Amino acid sequence: MAVKDTRTGVGRGLHGITASNSNTRISATRIPSRSASGTATPPLVNDPLGSNFERPRAAMVQRLQAQGITNSAVLAAMQAIPRHAFVDEALASRAYDDASLPIGHGQTISQPWVVARMIASVCGATMPTRVLEVGTGCGYQAAVMAQVFQQVHSIERIRALYDMAKERLRSLRLTKVRLVYGDGMLGLPSVAPFDAIVVAAAGIRIPQALFLQLSVGGVLIAPEGSGAQRLIRVTRTGASSWDRQELEEVRFVPLKSGLQV
Ligand code: SAH
């Protein structure tokens, strides 16, 4: 397998925020109410506390813009999905902080900037259609992705988190996401190829199976490393060629093989 290595945009910030991002001033752009696929964003009906969180959510989206997220479909999706509904009630008041939060079973919901950055970085001139997420966790990132992409599959290896995410997405009527209980290191060969793969847990190496399940032109984003981790973007450029770019430093929970019952 030929992998070309091009280093770009290497940042040094903690928790995925580059030093340059923190000082970059970006004028606010209007966020459309329609998703990239042209369909109206469906109302999230079963969210009784929703109105309490509209302001902090709008502030979160403004902060994402200031941190360099410019993709309007991604910003609209971050505005549409109630992050507070994906964490424990006791943590809901912190749901729109720029921080990762515990979701039980030793796992975390990724910080908003990381979610937005990963999704935006797989969006090219043509929007990916069929997308795979490895590491559903609480289901938040999958819910955001389902606002942006037509077909979203997400795999989780911890049974209790899979069950919880399934129930939560059902109660928010976000039933478009196709959840799978399984080992995401093996990908999802029965559904592949994918136009984009987003990996939400860090391995020492990105599993080869995932590279092979990208369509030609498809893009994968994943954290890599054990201690120091970095986001890596891999583009499949041909049947047996891939292009690799190193992005910002990040901190993710570990990618593990096998299932946890
Ligand atoms: N996407 C989540 C982040 C969850 S944290 C969000 O919205 O914030 C990462 C998740 O990856 C954890 O739930 C962990 O159990 C899961 N994970 C780790 N290794 C995995 C594997 N091999 N297959 C599937 N899920 C995995």
Side-chain angles (χ1 to χ4, degrees):
M1 186 193 304
V3 181
K4 203 174 99 207
D5 189 343
T6 33
R7 287 182 173 237
T8 55
V10 176
R12 285 271 151 206
L14 197 62
H15 300 302
I17 301 180
T18 62
S20 59
N21 275 342
S22 57
N23 287 325
T24 309
R25 301 190 82 178
I26 291 165
S27 58
T29 50
R30 214 176 136 263
I31 298 164
S33 59
R34 285 174 174 266
S35 71
S37 52
T39 52
T41 305
L44 298 165
V45 284
N46 190 8
D47 180 22
L49 295 175
S51 56
N52 297 348
F53 291 99
E54 270 163 26
R55 272 170 170 235
R57 188 154 66 247
M60 173 190 79
V61 171
Q62 287 220 323
R63 199 174 54 231
L64 290 173
Q65 287 183 287
Q67 290 169 337
I69 305 295
T70 54
N71 185 305
S72 57
V74 174
L75 292 168
M78 299 292 287
Q79 181 67 63
I81 298 298
R83 194 169 188 261
H84 63 271
F86 288 83
V87 295
D88 196 88
E89 245 177 88
L91 295 172
S93 64
R94 292 165 55 197
Y96 297 100
D97 293 355
D98 197 18
S100 54
L101 294 170
I103 55 170
H105 306 275
Q107 307 303 317
T108 55
I109 179 173
S110 304
Q111 68 183 110
W113 182 85
V114 166
V115 172
R117 171 71 169 136
M118 293 227 282
I119 299 173
S121 66
V122 296
C123 298
T126 35
M127 263 323 220
T129 301
R130 188 183 300 163
V131 179
L132 173 68
E133 178 191 39
V134 174
T136 315
C138 61
Y140 173 70
Q141 180 163 274
V144 175
M145 293 202 305
Q147 299 288 109
V148 179
F149 307 118
Q150 258 170 44
Q151 199 186 112
V152 176
H153 302 260
S154 181
I155 314 182
E156 173 56 53
R157 66 177 287 279
I158 300 179
R159 179 87 214 190
L161 286 176
Y162 162 80
D163 288 338
M164 227 191 305
K166 195 165 195 170
E167 174 53 29
R168 188 170 281 127
L169 292 172
R170 194 197 57 74
S171 76
L172 290 166
R173 304 201 180 163
L174 291 166
T175 48
K176 203 176 123 182
V177 182
R178 299 170 202 195
L179 294 185
V180 178
Y181 170 52
D183 180 356
M185 288 177 79
L186 308 174
L188 208 52
S190 58
V191 182
F194 296 98
D195 305 316
I197 300 179
V198 175
V199 185
I204 296 171
R205 288 273 168 272
I206 301 167
Q208 291 256 325
L210 300 181
F211 294 145
L212 294 167
Q213 288 177 32
L214 277 177
S215 54
V216 173
V219 183
L220 172 146
I221 182 113
E224 192 183 68
S226 50
Q229 301 170 4
R230 197 172 277 292
L231 277 181
I232 308 292
R233 178 166 50 200
V234 174
T235 306
R236 188 166 193 173
T237 50
S240 52
S241 58
W242 289 260
D243 184 62
R244 176 186 157 104
Q245 291 179 301
E246 298 200 354
L247 307 176
E248 297 87 359
E249 277 185 13
V250 282
R251 199 165 299 163
F252 277 78
V253 294
L255 184 70
K256 292 184 178 173
S257 62
L259 299 179
Q260 185 173 318
V261 187

